Each structure stands twice: as C-alpha cells, then as structure tokens.
C-alpha cells in the first residue's frame, strides 16, 4: 500500500492553530491579558474565539482526505468514542468528580462533530459518474446540507420559545441552546455559569 501524501498546507494550519491554542490558554498574567487573547463575553468575536472553529475546519478537511472515511463505518464511531473519552478524562483530571464534570468540552464537541460530519460525508457520496462529476455533485449536496442546517438552526433559535420564556431570546441563559444544555447536561456545564455552556475553550 502506498503511503498517503500529506497536505502540507493543512499540516501548517494545524500547527498554527495549536500554537494559537497554547497562547490563548497561557497568556501569562490572567489579571493583565490583551483583549484579543480572551473570549468575547457573549456577543462578538475575538481571535481566541476562532481557535475551536479552526480545529473543526481541520477535521472537516481531513475527513475528505482520509481513506478511513470511506472504509469501515465502525472505525469512525470508534475514533469518535476515543476522542470523546480523552476529553472526559481531561475534564475529570485531577479531581475525578463525576458529579460536576463538564461534559460538553472541546474534545467532546470535536468528537460529536467528527462523527456526524464523517457519516454524512459517507452517506452523501455519489456512486455513479466519473470522478469530476461525482465531486461536483457531492460538493453541491454538502453545500445544501450546510445551508439547510444553518437556516434550520437560525429558525429554531429565533422562532421556538423556551418554556417560560419568549422566542428569539438570545441572552446567555435565556436562549434555546442554553435551555437544551440545562435539560440534557444538568449540572455538567461550564463551572462559571452553571446555566449555559460557553463557546468551546
């Protein structure tokens, strides 16, 4: 079997993203941090808020390049479970307190996104036509999925009221996403809020 060719630009981007993660997680004196090295409190975006989306971009590109994506689907499930498990171990260490451990951490979210995206990529891959035609058809299908999911998410967040609240409430604790977080995870959320889980960090 020939050794797969690595995409150097993706490797370089992964390295820059890792370096960025190290910087924003260790800015020096937490009492005197440059604002770009902090998450936006709620609305807005700083360079720090881009680290997690960059990792998801890297995962998405890697899915299209990996031979394993189109192989045994259980390998995808196994890889997602390993990533999720590592995230839980890091969240538990060093106290190992299962009563308050934060479940939706960074690696856990990456695992869920990877699982959904890899299975969707497999499911929507055309099986007929020449290579170029299949690539174009697959790209159009994935773009439609992305647009539909984005619009669907917007519609749910803006039009579906939270029990006891109003539709379109986008405050940290009042939005539908926070309600779902509380319903599913209970106390296993970001320790500094307990009512909603922040952007991945």
């Amino acid at each position: 079997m020939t050794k797969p060719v690595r995409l150097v630009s993706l490797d370089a981007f992964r390295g820059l993203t890792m370096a960025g993660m190290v910087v924003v997680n260790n800015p020096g004196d937490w009492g005197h941090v440059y604002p770009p090295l902090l998450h936006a409190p709620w609305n807005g975006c700083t360079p720090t808020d881009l680290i997690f989306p960059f990792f998801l971009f890297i995962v998405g590109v890697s899915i299209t390049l990996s031979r394993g994506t189109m192989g045994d689907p259980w390998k995808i499930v196994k890889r997602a479970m390993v990533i999720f498990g590592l995230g839980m171990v890091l969240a538990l260490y060093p106290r190992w307190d299962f009563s308050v451990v934060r479940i939706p951490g960074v690696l856990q979210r990456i695992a869920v996104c990877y699982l959904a995206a890899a299975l969707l990529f497999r499911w929507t891959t055309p099986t007929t036509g020449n290579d170029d035609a299949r690539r174009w058809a697959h790209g159009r299908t994935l773009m439609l999925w992305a647009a539909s999911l984005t619009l669907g998410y917007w519609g749910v967040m803006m039009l579906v009221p939270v029990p006891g609240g109003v539709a379109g409430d986008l405050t940290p604790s009042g939005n539908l996403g926070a309600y779902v977080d509380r319903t599913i995870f209970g106390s296993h959320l970001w320790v500094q809020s307990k009512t909603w889980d922040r952007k991945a960090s």
Side-chain angles (χ1 to χ4, degrees):
M1 181 182 294
T2 59
K3 185 177 181 180
V5 178
R6 298 194 66 87
L7 184 60
V8 177
S9 59
L10 186 65
D11 287 337
F13 185 63
R14 183 186 295 111
L16 289 172
T17 302
M18 289 291 294
M21 180 187 69
V22 171
V23 171
V24 302
N25 286 337
N26 301 278
D29 180 3
W30 282 103
H32 304 84
V33 183
Y34 288 110
L37 299 182
L38 294 172
H39 284 286
W42 181 244
N43 296 323
C45 180
T46 71
T48 299
D49 295 316
L50 298 177
I51 300 298
F52 182 71
F54 284 174
F55 275 120
L56 291 185
F57 174 81
I58 292 166
V59 169
V61 174
S62 299
I63 286 172
T64 69
L65 302 176
S66 173
R67 293 174 178 171
T69 302
M70 301 308 296
D72 184 358
W74 287 109
K75 289 185 178 180
I76 295 174
V77 176
K78 180 180 178 181
R79 180 175 293 178
M81 291 175 64
V82 168
I83 296 172
F84 193 96
L86 288 173
M88 289 301 299
V89 169
L90 290 174
L92 284 164
Y93 182 82
R95 296 183 179 179
W96 303 98
D97 187 350
F98 287 88
S99 65
V100 294
V101 62
R102 181 190 182 196
I103 295 177
V106 174
L107 287 178
Q108 294 93 311
R109 297 181 196 214
I110 290 177
V112 172
C113 291
Y114 164 73
L115 178 64
L119 293 178
L120 178 63
F121 185 86
R122 285 178 54 91
W123 180 56
T124 57
T125 298
T127 57
T128 59
N130 59 53
D131 287 347
D132 287 340
R134 286 190 292 110
R135 288 192 187 98
W136 279 105
H138 199 193
R140 287 193 298 269
T141 301
L142 292 174
M143 287 178 64
L144 285 173
W145 268 93
S148 298
L149 289 171
T150 302
L151 289 173
Y153 178 77
W154 174 86
V156 168
M157 292 293 287
M158 295 301 296
L159 303 176
V160 178
V162 173
V166 296
D169 183 351
L170 298 181
T171 59
S173 298
N175 70 83
L176 184 63
Y179 171 78
V180 172
D181 283 346
R182 292 192 296 271
T183 302
I184 296 176
F185 299 116
S187 62
H188 300 281
L189 296 173
W190 183 40
V191 68
Q192 295 185 41
S193 72
K194 290 300 183 185
T195 59
W196 57 280
D197 205 274
R198 66 178 300 165
K199 304 167 187 174
S201 62

